[in-house]
């Protein structure tokens, strides 16, 4: 069965970033991290609260799961809807999953008002994500290919043309390689490998799932 629209590609954080903005002398410092579980997200939030214990607010949001099905946020004392939700909206709009953002505010003495707070927390979260590195997660199939040494060169050439990297390879009497291919390319790749090796390559297709694009 081919995957549905539910299996759209998404991005994950490869390395977290930090960014700081200033609004009317209030400092907003964003920290971004990868988190695959709520425990990881909460531990990161707790760490930032300890690091910035003297700040007025440490607001956060996190978005977890392949479909972004787990989401939480906190205004941490800011007026309702002015901090945590704007941060979360940046996350949901980014196309990313499995990440947590904490925006720390040091009060500068000037009241920003609800609109000003929403803009500042949004801008800080966006800057934090922009300072982070991301990788695409794509939904596809693992193919295990067993071929002879003549066939492997042809297969590697084909994969190079498609920008598909080899996950692992075992060079014995025959060569066994494992590749990941996007769903929409699976049938074409199998056809190309079969034709290039005159049907001599043995191809096993694994169950579909998400994989990190290299």
């Amino acid at each position: 069965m081919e995957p549905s629209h539910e299996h759209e590609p998404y991005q994950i954080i490869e390395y977290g970033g930090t960014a700081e903005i200033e609004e009317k002398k209030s400092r907003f410092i964003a920290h971004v991290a990868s988190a695959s579980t709520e425990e990881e997200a909460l531990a990161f939030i707790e760490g930032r609260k300890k690091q910035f214990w003297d700040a007025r607010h440490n607001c956060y949001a996190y978005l977890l799961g392949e479909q972004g099905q787990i989401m939480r946020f906190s205004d941490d004392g800011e007026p309702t809807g002015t901090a945590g939700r704007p941060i979360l909206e940046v996350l949901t709009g980014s196309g990313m999953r499995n990440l947590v953002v904490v925006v720390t505010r040091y009060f500068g003495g000037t009241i920003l008002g609800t609109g000003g707070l929403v803009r500042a927390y949004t801008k800080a979260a966006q800057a934090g994500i922009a300072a982070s590195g991301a990788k695409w997660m794509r939904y596809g199939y693992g193919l295990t290919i067993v071929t002879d040494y003549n066939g492997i060169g042809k297969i590697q050439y084909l994969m190079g043309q498609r920008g598909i990297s080899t996950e692992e390879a075992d060079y014995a009497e025959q060569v066994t390689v494992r590749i990941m291919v996007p769903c929409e390319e699976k049938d074409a790749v199998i056809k190309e490998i079969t034709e290039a090796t005159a049907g001599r390559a043995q191809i096993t297709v694994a169950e579909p799932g998400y994989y990190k694009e290299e």
Side-chain angles (χ1 to χ4, degrees), residues 14-42:
E14 179 141 73
Y15 60 85
T18 303
E20 182 176 335
I21 67 162
E22 191 173 304
E23 289 284 337
K24 295 182 180 175
K25 297 187 178 171
S26 274
R27 292 168 60 213
F28 295 83
I29 307 161
H31 283 83
V32 181
S34 170
S36 53
T37 64
E38 284 203 78
E39 288 75 17
E40 284 179 20
L42 293 170

Side-chain angles (χ1 to χ4, degrees), residues 7-70:
H7 295 124
E8 291 292 326
Y10 64 87
Q11 286 184 297
I12 58 168
I13 294 291
E14 179 141 73
Y15 60 85
T18 303
E20 182 176 335
I21 67 162
E22 191 173 304
E23 289 284 337
K24 295 182 180 175
K25 297 187 178 171
S26 274
R27 292 168 60 213
F28 295 83
I29 307 161
H31 283 83
V32 181
S34 170
S36 53
T37 64
E38 284 203 78
E39 288 75 17
E40 284 179 20
L42 293 170
F44 180 76
I45 293 161
E46 201 53 43
R48 299 294 74 72
K49 285 184 174 181
K50 285 178 180 169
Q51 182 182 356
F52 300 105
W53 58 271
D54 57 339
R56 180 74 70 93
H57 307 281
N58 285 290
C59 307
Y60 66 81
Y62 57 85
L63 186 65
L64 311 177
E66 290 174 354
Q67 312 300 328
Q69 61 267 41
I70 300 170

Side-chain angles (χ1 to χ4, degrees), residues 40-175:
E40 284 179 20
L42 293 170
F44 180 76
I45 293 161
E46 201 53 43
R48 299 294 74 72
K49 285 184 174 181
K50 285 178 180 169
Q51 182 182 356
F52 300 105
W53 58 271
D54 57 339
R56 180 74 70 93
H57 307 281
N58 285 290
C59 307
Y60 66 81
Y62 57 85
L63 186 65
L64 311 177
E66 290 174 354
Q67 312 300 328
Q69 61 267 41
I70 300 170
M71 55 181 78
R72 302 279 184 275
F73 62 87
S74 168
D75 294 311
D76 193 34
E78 291 281 33
T80 302
T82 62
R85 185 171 287 284
I87 298 169
L88 180 64
E89 285 175 359
V90 170
L91 303 194
T92 55
S94 70
M96 291 188 170
R97 305 282 186 271
N98 294 345
L99 75 163
V100 53
V101 177
V102 180
V103 178
T104 300
R105 180 192 184 191
Y106 283 95
F107 185 56
T110 302
I111 302 293
L112 296 183
T114 55
L117 286 172
V118 169
R119 281 192 298 276
Y121 279 103
T122 298
K123 203 155 83 173
Q126 288 170 336
I129 287 176
S132 305
K135 278 271 188 181
W136 280 101
M137 296 292 288
R138 298 196 181 277
Y139 198 78
Y141 292 86
L143 303 184
T144 302
I145 306 153
V146 181
T147 184
D148 55 26
Y149 280 82
N150 182 43
I152 192 61
K154 294 174 180 175
I155 290 167
Q156 285 173 332
Y157 174 76
L158 288 173
M159 296 310 99
Q161 293 290 96
R162 285 183 168 270
I164 294 171
S165 57
T166 302
E167 297 279 305
E168 53 190 276
D170 178 28
Y171 292 86
E173 280 186 31
Q174 287 198 300
V175 186

